[in-house]
């Protein structure tokens, strides 16, 4: 249970640290600032388009009024030619009233033209500023990422990372478990060899066969000891064992001929 709690604490601290890192990451702040500037540029461009549309409407109205102004002048001239001074006077009066409207339209058109020029200049400067900021932003992000990678590498080499204590604790627990498992394996192996534990996978009566094999091995050792003693008593004469013949290995472990 304690190991589980320790792992849960480690996971929680890791996730919390990652969340705080994301909140404090200057790269995110730079991206947010860039997005805000891009939105502002979009708004300026929208304003330029709206002002340009309004200016175009005024220009169309001015063209219509200009055409009517010319037509009234022609009508006044034609009326005078026809001897209708009254009609000529009426046409000129209407043209004078139209000129007043055209004058107001010209003022609006000039104002919109100034606004358009100012907005276009602001758009140009803002676009240049955003382009420069984007270059600086990407440079700063790359520098931060490289520095962050270097810090992590240095901490990993020096073992001073924020989670190195947890890593060390996990490593110590793993070492303890490996040692416990090794000791258990050795103990169960000894018990199995001594017969205290029964091998469920062995064949029936395998324990008797194992003991007989051990007796035969000990008997063979005693026989060789006796042969060596006899050889020593005979003055070092050969006991019948093969010498340095190339095929000597074929007789290793074989019983000597009767």
């Amino acid at each position: 249970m304690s190991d589980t709690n320790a792992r849960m604490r480690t996971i929680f601290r890791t996730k919390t640290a990652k969340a705080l890192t994301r909140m404090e990451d200057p790269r995110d702040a730079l991206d947010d600032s860039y997005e805000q500037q891009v939105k502002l540029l979009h708004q300026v461009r929208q304003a330029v388009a709206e002002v340009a549309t309004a200016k175009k409407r005024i220009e169309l109205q001015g063209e219509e009024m200009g055409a009517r102004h010319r037509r009234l002048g022609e009508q006044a001239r034609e009326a005078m030619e026809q001897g209708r001074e009254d009609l000529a006077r009426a046409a000129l009066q209407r043209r004078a009233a139209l000129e007043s409207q055209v004058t107001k339209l010209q003022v609006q058109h000039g104002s919109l033209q100034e606004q358009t020029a100012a907005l276009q200049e602001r758009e140009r400067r803002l676009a240049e500023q955003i382009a420069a900021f984007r270059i600086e932003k990407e440079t700063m992000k790359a520098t931060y990422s490289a520095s962050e990678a270097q810090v992590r590498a240095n901490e990993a080499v020096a073992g001073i990372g924020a989670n190195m204590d947890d890593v060390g604790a996990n490593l110590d627990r793993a070492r303890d478990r490996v040692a416990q498992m090794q000791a258990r394996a050795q103990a169960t192996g000894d018990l199995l060899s001594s017969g205290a534990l029964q091998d469920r996978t062995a064949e029936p009566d395998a324990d008797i066969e194992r003991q007989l094999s051990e007796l035969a091995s000990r008997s063979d050792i005693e026989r060789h000891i006796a042969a060596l003693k006899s050889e020593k008593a005979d003055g070092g004469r050969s006991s019948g064992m093969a010498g340095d013949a190339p095929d000597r290995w074929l007789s290793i472990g074989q019983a000597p001929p009767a």
Side-chain angles (χ1 to χ4, degrees), residues 1-252:
M1 181 66 69
S2 60
D3 292 341
T4 302
N5 292 335
R7 285 196 297 270
M8 292 298 295
R9 286 195 298 271
T10 299
I11 293 172
F12 177 76
R13 283 197 296 269
T14 301
K15 291 184 176 294
T16 303
K18 288 181 177 179
L20 290 175
T21 299
R22 284 195 298 268
M23 291 174 61
E24 300 173 355
D25 196 335
R27 292 169 294 190
D28 294 336
L30 290 170
D31 287 336
D32 291 340
S33 298
Y34 178 75
E35 290 177 2
Q36 291 175 4
Q37 293 186 44
V38 170
K39 288 180 180 178
L40 180 59
L41 178 61
H42 180 68
Q43 292 174 359
V44 172
R45 286 175 174 169
Q46 260 188 333
V48 171
E50 291 173 358
V51 172
T53 302
K55 187 165 70 74
K56 187 63 177 178
R57 289 199 193 100
I58 290 178
E59 289 174 352
L60 292 175
Q61 291 179 9
E63 290 175 1
E64 291 178 1
M65 289 182 177
R68 185 184 175 195
H69 186 272
R70 290 191 300 272
R71 187 168 59 253
L72 287 171
E74 292 174 356
Q75 287 175 348
R77 187 179 300 108
E78 184 178 356
M80 289 297 294
E81 291 176 356
Q82 298 294 331
R84 293 291 307 272
E85 183 178 344
D86 56 333
L87 291 178
R89 189 180 299 278
L92 292 175
Q93 288 175 349
R94 291 180 184 180
R95 192 175 73 165
L98 186 61
E99 287 176 355
S100 177
Q101 296 177 5
V102 171
T103 300
K104 294 179 181 179
L105 204 63
Q106 289 172 346
V107 172
Q108 294 178 4
H109 183 268
S111 176
L112 289 176
Q113 194 165 1
E114 290 177 359
Q115 292 182 27
T116 301
L119 286 172
Q120 288 176 341
E121 178 64 18
R122 188 173 301 174
E123 177 190 3
R124 183 186 64 80
R125 291 184 178 180
L126 186 57
E128 292 177 353
Q129 178 182 343
I130 291 175
F133 179 80
R134 181 177 180 278
I135 295 174
E136 185 176 3
K137 172 180 75 75
E138 295 301 327
T139 302
M140 292 176 66
K141 286 174 61 178
T143 303
Y144 183 87
S145 298
S147 300
E148 183 182 38
Q150 184 177 0
V151 168
R152 289 179 178 176
N154 293 341
E155 288 180 349
V157 172
I160 58 173
N163 62 341
M164 290 308 295
D165 292 339
D166 296 328
V167 172
N170 292 336
L171 185 59
D172 290 338
R173 286 195 298 271
R175 287 171 177 165
D176 291 340
R177 290 181 180 179
V178 170
Q180 291 174 5
M181 190 57 66
Q182 288 178 333
R184 184 176 178 183
Q186 183 66 36
T188 53
D190 293 342
L191 291 173
L192 202 61
S193 299
S194 65
L197 290 179
Q198 184 178 0
D199 186 1
R200 300 293 183 182
T201 63
E203 297 180 357
D205 305 325
D207 56 336
I208 296 178
E209 293 292 337
R210 177 177 56 78
Q211 296 181 36
L212 289 175
S213 177
E214 291 178 356
L215 290 174
S217 178
R218 286 198 294 270
S219 176
D220 187 61
I221 291 173
E222 294 299 329
R223 179 167 48 79
H224 280 294
I225 291 296
L228 291 173
K229 289 180 178 180
S230 175
E231 179 181 351
K232 183 178 181 181
D234 292 342
R237 291 192 299 272
S238 174
S239 60
M241 298 176 61
D244 295 331
D247 58 350
R248 180 183 177 186
W249 64 274
L250 293 173
S251 63
I252 294 177

